[in-house]
């Protein structure tokens, strides 16, 4: 299936544009939505766990978290049990944008699959979950240091 | 289906890492593979068509094409029929990397769907094609100027 990843890339890029359009010219571009959703769901997540969770390499995560901290969306705290670990907490400002980010994400999911029957949706989700688990397993076997 | 786009993003990001690992530290990072495949398949494609084809916004495409030109992978030619249009042609250097880029893309597609039956692959492709067409239609209704 030669075109599989081409379709995945196109969907990911168009969904990024969709979300960026809906969020307007806010400080939070479309790329930050994964961060908002993950950090609000897991307050106190370490930067390394966050990188694994959203499958973005550590140096990019560090850069984005620095941006989010500078703009008042997160605070960073050194772990008491291990000083090398940095924990990330959402601020009230991030909590305040969460409903809008969630709404745009839901709207985008709904837009992309409009016309699907319940059965097709279920099937699509099941297949996507398998591929996504396989994709994550690649990143894990690759070693965290490389992430 | 709340998690649809989360799965899509994870697959796209992990596939990017997979391809980057396989291509090594070449001048062509994982992000350029879409360009190599599209330009070699459509020599003389205009920059704007290319942006629509791979669903990346025009300013990013211009930046990447400039990079590819500086590194000897493409040449840019002004269209004779319309001077405002820039056409992009692959050089021999780009043609030379095409087999490797294709092989890595095939390998990545195969890796991500290992364990799928023929029937599941067919189903998955069909559903992905529908979502990808819908995603592209969003970008088209949004207007080319915004792309």
């Amino acid at each position: 299936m030669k075109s599989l990843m081409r379709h995945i890339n196109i969907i990911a890029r168009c969904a990024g544009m969709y979300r960026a359009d809906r969020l307007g010219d806010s400080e939070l571009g479309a790329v930050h939505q994964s961060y908002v959703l993950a950090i609000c769901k897991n307050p106190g997540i370490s930067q390394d766990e966050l990188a694994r969770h959203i499958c973005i390499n550590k140096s990019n995560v560090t850069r984005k978290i620095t941006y989010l901290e500078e703009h008042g969306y997160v605070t960073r705290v050194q772990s008491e049990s291990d000083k090398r670990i940095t924990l990330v907490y959402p601020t009230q400002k991030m909590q305040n944008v969460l409903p809008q980010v969630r709404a745009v994400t839901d709207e985008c999911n709904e837009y992309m699959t409009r016309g699907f029957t319940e059965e097709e949706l279920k099937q699509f989700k099941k297949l996507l979950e398998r591929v996504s688990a396989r994709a994550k397993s690649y990143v894990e076997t690759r070693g965290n240091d490389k992430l």
Side-chain angles (χ1 to χ4, degrees), chain A:
Chain A
M1 196 207 287
K2 296 207 177 203
S3 50
L4 172 70
M5 287 304 140
R6 169 160 157 76
H7 288 307
I8 294 274
N9 283 333
I10 284 177
I11 299 167
R13 291 171 192 152
C14 296
M17 292 183 196
Y18 183 101
R19 294 193 305 264
D21 288 347
R22 292 297 182 283
L23 281 178
D25 295 328
S26 68
E27 290 167 330
L28 283 176
V31 321
H32 291 108
Q33 293 191 49
S34 304
Y35 291 82
V36 176
L37 295 170
I39 295 167
C40 288
K41 199 175 170 190
N42 308 284
I45 191 170
S46 74
Q47 282 197 185
D48 290 0
E49 282 169 324
L50 179 62
R52 278 195 296 277
H53 185 68
I54 57 180
C55 295
I56 294 182
N57 68 53
K58 286 183 190 178
S59 57
N60 280 340
V61 167
T62 302
R63 199 163 50 244
K64 293 290 182 191
I65 293 294
T66 303
Y67 174 91
L68 290 172
E69 193 178 40
E70 282 167 5
H71 289 77
Y73 288 102
V74 298
T75 50
R76 279 194 273 201
V77 178
Q78 226 177 23
S79 162
E80 292 205 359
S81 59
D82 184 342
K83 298 285 180 207
R84 292 163 304 178
I85 297 175
T86 304
L87 309 177
V88 183
Y89 290 89
T91 60
Q92 190 56 47
K93 186 174 176 184
M94 184 178 266
Q95 298 284 5
N96 291 346
V97 297
L98 178 63
Q100 196 197 353
V101 169
R102 275 206 184 122
V104 170
T105 304
D106 290 351
E107 207 188 294
C108 180
N109 284 331
E110 201 277 318
Y111 181 92
M112 293 296 171
T113 53
R114 202 168 294 160
F116 274 41
T117 64
E118 275 302 310
E119 189 48 42
E120 285 168 339
L121 264 182
K122 234 168 78 180
Q123 245 173 20
F124 190 45
K125 189 174 179 192
K126 225 172 72 181
L127 295 167
L128 270 184
E129 274 168 358
R130 278 170 65 188
V131 179
S132 140
R134 179 111 185 115
K136 281 197 125 178
S137 81
Y138 171 71
V139 177
E140 276 151 28
T141 56
R142 184 176 177 253
N144 286 333
D145 289 346
K146 288 189 77 178
L147 187 62

